[in-house]
Amino acid sequence: MVEEQLALRGIEDQRVLDAMRRVPRHEFVPEGAERYAYEDHPMPIGDGQTISQPYIVALMLEAARIGPEDVVLDVGTGSGYAAAVAAELGHRVVSIERHPDLAVTAAATLEALGYRVNVVTGDGTLGWPAGAPYDAIVAAATGPAVPRAWPQQLAPGGRIVMPVGHPGGAQHLAVFERGPDGALHERNLGAVAFVPLVGDDGWTS
């Protein structure tokens, strides 16, 4: 997976590649689907949610530039896979999921594998102020724009990586970086397809 789907497709950050090697992706997919875990496509995990394809997880985390001392907010826990990879890269990870059953399952999987991720249930569009400030905010769902609460919880020089666009329509993966002037500067990483970011400051469904 790492060599053929990530490195050959342009993922260059060695820390990200090593983290993807270490995390057992088959532990995060539904029972009976383990043999497909390392294929490069998203997989359904219940509640209308998916575990993102490995390449997209690597691309987002590479763009987030998570350092060993960084604090990360992972929006849309899902299976917990991306949170596990982020935990390999950073110092502390808070992961927020709006579906209580997915949050419980993901937290149990992460704990069983030894990942110290604080999984919380709530509206991801509001962030999680108790864990702020965050050096990186990474979202696994597409929103109409950056939710208003996220920049308020972002550290100086912090990065937001999220898909932007309509569910089922045109979306692009965006990186927003806080510059010295405090403003967010956007970079487009290309077309993607994600489930909707649902919440008070996202889509309604």
Side-chain angles (χ1 to χ4, degrees), residues 2-21:
V2 171
E3 298 304 326
E4 296 180 5
Q5 300 169 22
L6 308 184
L8 288 180
R9 293 181 64 186
I11 302 300
E12 298 178 345
D13 189 320
Q14 195 59 51
R15 293 187 67 244
V16 171
L17 294 173
D18 288 343
M20 298 285 285
R21 285 190 182 96

Side-chain angles (χ1 to χ4, degrees), residues 41-57:
H41 55 74
M43 300 175 64
I45 57 172
D47 286 320
Q49 306 301 299
T50 61
I51 176 173
S52 297
Q53 70 185 93
Y55 173 73
I56 290 295
V57 173

Side-chain angles (χ1 to χ4, degrees), residues 15-105:
R15 293 187 67 244
V16 171
L17 294 173
D18 288 343
M20 298 285 285
R21 285 190 182 96
R22 288 192 294 268
V23 177
R25 184 175 165 88
H26 62 275
E27 299 283 359
F28 293 89
V29 302
E31 186 176 355
E34 292 87 353
R35 61 178 171 165
Y36 305 112
Y38 296 94
E39 296 180 1
D40 196 36
H41 55 74
M43 300 175 64
I45 57 172
D47 286 320
Q49 306 301 299
T50 61
I51 176 173
S52 297
Q53 70 185 93
Y55 173 73
I56 290 295
V57 173
L59 179 65
M60 295 180 75
L61 293 178
E62 181 176 63
R65 302 200 330 268
I66 299 169
E69 300 303 317
D70 283 355
V71 178
V72 180
L73 176 63
D74 171 56
V75 179
T77 310
S79 69
Y81 175 69
V85 182
E88 291 274 2
L89 297 168
H91 173 66
R92 180 166 59 87
V93 177
V94 176
S95 188
I96 185 166
E97 172 57 56
R98 71 185 183 92
H99 296 282
D101 52 344
L102 287 181
V104 169
T105 301

Side-chain angles (χ1 to χ4, degrees), residues 24 27-28 79 84 104-117 119:
E27 299 283 359
F28 293 89
S79 69
V104 169
T105 301
T109 301
L110 289 161
E111 183 177 7
L113 293 172
Y115 289 106
R116 298 181 62 185
V117 175
V119 179

